[in-house]
Amino acid sequence: MKILLTGSSGLIGRALIPHLTKGGHQVVRLVRARPAPGEAAIFWDPDAGTLDAAALEGFDAVIHLSGESIAAGRWTEAKKARIRDSRVKGTALLAGRIERLSRPPGVLLCASAIGYYGDRGDEPLDEQSAPGNDFVAGVCVQWEAATAPAADTGIRVARTRSGIILGCEGGVFPRMLLPFRLGLGGRMGSGRQYMSWISIDDEVGAILHALTQERVAGPVNLTGPRPVRNAEFTKTLGRVLHRPTAIPTPLLPLRARYGSELVQHLLVEGQRVLPKQLEHTGYVFAHPTLEEALRAVVDRHRRRIGS
């Protein structure tokens, strides 16, 4: 397939591209810096509404992953606007251009997040569960709704709601790993909040599954099959690293540095999300348990840093 990819420099994009090319697919990146002559890339500027529709003709699939990092930096009003606009404006622009094509792609995979569900305590959540009512949930609702022009053309649209991605080359996990390696890691808050995780290998595998399986459409939870409470996550990571985890992580310094709203959302609240559509369409997890996933990512991290 000829595949158009946004967000190629992010954690998921960088992990995904080698799998696509090894699978014989041609990948063309949609980028914000004007590409050099001969580079397999197309320029766009979502803020300015700039994207040449003619350049999008002939693609078999579009994988849309781009968006401002939620976890990087305090949630000022300006930061929250960038988080929202980078997702909603970019998706609306891309979907609107797809709507105009004489030869639209067969499938659009658009990233989303389990933040769609909000803080739901112990409630099991699948793709049919209602959205939450906080800031991130509102962003996810608008983000997913922005795919409507593409869906209206009749192409298959899947909205991939990713959980906490366990990977060593970006995202939240490397920052989480450091204090645990130093023996300073501990549960967050009560430790009872659910963490819906997925290994980077299964994140990539699930995207490839969604790309090729015609039955995968609509919202798709990209999470491992067994979400755990924060206390269990903490205990398991400590066991994998052979480090103690008895002392709870103090939240006050984190709130002072990153702001209460971000810390509350990322560390204190949680969702118990189940990957029902992945399982119903036959996806087989490489790392179905948290311990397997953590051992894989920690081993990869050790090889990467040579320790």
Side-chain angles (χ1 to χ4, degrees):
M1 284 192 286
K2 185 178 180 183
I3 299 171
L4 183 68
L5 175 67
T6 79
S8 58
S9 62
L11 170 64
I12 302 171
R14 285 183 283 117
L16 180 62
I17 287 174
H19 289 270
L20 291 173
T21 55
K22 287 178 185 176
H25 303 296
Q26 178 188 355
V27 179
V28 177
R29 297 176 300 117
L30 196 58
V31 297
R32 293 169 181 263
R34 293 194 178 274
E39 187 178 355
I42 297 169
F43 172 74
W44 76 324
D45 184 346
D47 292 330
T50 303
L51 177 58
D52 180 9
L56 305 186
E57 293 283 2
F59 283 94
D60 301 299
V62 176
I63 304 176
H64 177 41
L65 304 175
S66 65
E68 175 93 4
S69 172
I70 285 179
R74 182 184 290 266
W75 282 2
T76 62
E77 289 306 310
K79 171 71 172 179
K80 289 167 76 172
R82 290 196 302 273
I83 288 171
R84 180 183 59 253
D85 292 349
S86 66
R87 288 161 171 78
V88 179
K89 285 185 177 179
T91 303
L93 176 61
L94 186 57
R97 292 295 189 271
I98 289 173
E99 184 183 30
R100 302 179 189 177
L101 299 178
S102 60
R103 294 178 297 153
V107 58
L108 166 64
L109 304 186
C110 180
S112 185
I114 61 170
Y116 175 94
Y117 302 108
D119 181 26
R120 304 289 278 272
D122 293 354
E123 179 186 356
L125 303 166
D126 63 27
E127 288 87 352
Q128 302 309 310
S129 299
N133 56 14
D134 60 16
F135 164 68
V136 174
V139 169
C140 290
V141 168
Q142 295 177 65
W143 190 6
E144 295 187 11
T147 64
D152 290 344
T153 68
I155 72 173
R156 180 168 64 92
V157 175
R159 303 182 295 276
T160 54
R161 297 172 180 166
S162 295
I164 300 167
I165 300 173
L166 305 181
C168 61
E169 296 186 349
V172 174
F173 186 70
R175 282 179 279 173
M176 184 188 304
L177 187 60
L178 179 59
F180 277 85
R181 283 171 59 89
L182 296 173
L184 301 175
R187 63 171 170 80
M188 301 284 183
S190 70
R192 291 188 55 78
Q193 68 274 30
Y194 270 94
M195 298 179 67
S196 296
W197 54 272
I198 187 169
S199 72
I200 186 62
D201 295 326
D202 278 316
E203 177 78 10
V204 169
I207 290 172
L208 296 175
H209 177 80
L211 183 68
T212 57
Q213 294 296 315
E214 292 292 331
R215 291 186 295 158
V216 179
V220 189
N221 291 334
L222 268 55
T223 59
R226 302 173 192 172
V228 299
R229 296 186 189 276
N230 175 264
E232 182 179 345
F233 185 98
T234 297
K235 183 178 179 181
T236 305
L237 182 53
R239 182 167 63 249
V240 168
L241 293 171
H242 307 290
R243 295 291 190 274
T245 58
I247 302 174
T249 298
L251 295 179
L252 188 59
L254 296 175
R255 293 184 191 277
R257 180 172 180 180
Y258 298 108
S260 294
E261 190 176 8
L262 183 150
V263 170
Q264 184 73 16
H265 173 76
L266 289 182
L267 304 179
V268 179
E269 298 176 352
Q271 303 93 12
R272 186 183 181 184
V273 180
L274 305 174
K276 185 170 287 186
Q277 186 167 177
L278 283 181
E279 293 182 322
H280 284 183
T281 56
Y283 181 71
V284 178
F285 284 87
H287 305 122
T289 69
L290 176 63
E291 184 155 347
E292 290 175 278
L294 288 175
R295 289 195 183 280
V297 70
V298 168
D299 286 347
R300 188 172 299 168
H301 180 74
R302 285 170 175 159
R303 291 195 301 270
R304 185 165 174 257
I305 65 174
S307 65

